[in-house]
Amino acid sequence: EYRQRYMRARHEYRNLLRSRVGSIKKSSASAQVREQNNLLGQLDAALQEEAELHRKESQRLNEELYIAEKKSCDFHVERRLMESKMSAMESAIKERDDLD
């Protein structure tokens, strides 16, 4: 999702630049300054949006990693508990067999 949005934003940005360059070349100096300021504002907004999207994607991936690591740790703890119970049961069975 992040990569697709990035590629789409990049494509839209390039198309915007192409169309604006043509119109800026044909306009007066004050219109060029106004257009440059407008373009810079749009670029800044796009960069902020991209940074926010990147932050959200990083957060999502970190959450997935946390969940995977937690599952792994839980499995390890559960396995150790089962091994302890099995060992205790084996000891109890051996004691019973020894008594018989």
Side-chain angles (χ1 to χ4, degrees):
E1 179 184 355
Y2 171 76
R3 181 166 172 72
Q4 290 173 349
R5 284 189 183 184
Y6 172 76
M7 294 305 287
R8 187 184 75 225
R10 188 172 154 189
H11 178 71
E12 290 174 0
Y13 166 69
R14 286 183 178 172
N15 285 340
L16 177 64
L17 283 180
R18 283 188 193 105
S19 68
R20 294 259 173 105
V21 166
S23 65
I24 290 173
K25 285 181 180 179
K26 298 173 188 174
S27 62
S28 66
S30 63
Q32 287 180 358
V33 169
R34 192 171 46 250
E35 188 66 23
Q36 286 172 352
N37 290 334
N38 187 17
L39 182 59
L40 287 174
Q42 288 178 348
L43 289 174
D44 187 47
L47 284 173
Q48 288 177 1
E49 181 183 342
E50 188 65 27
E52 180 65 18
L53 181 61
H54 178 72
R55 186 192 64 76
K56 286 180 180 179
E57 184 70 8
S58 294
Q59 182 180 3
R60 184 186 67 80
L61 293 173
N62 284 334
E63 288 173 358
E64 287 180 11
L65 179 61
Y66 171 78
I67 289 169
E69 287 177 347
K70 187 176 182 309
K71 284 180 183 179
S72 176
C73 290
D74 290 347
F75 174 77
H76 180 71
V77 168
E78 188 175 337
R79 190 178 103 214
R80 289 289 182 192
L81 288 173
M82 291 290 197
E83 287 174 353
S84 297
K85 287 179 183 178
M86 292 246 330
S87 177
M89 291 173 89
E90 287 173 351
S91 296
I93 290 172
K94 186 173 182 180
E95 283 180 26
R96 260 193 245 149
D97 287 347
D98 289 344
L99 288 175
D100 289 340

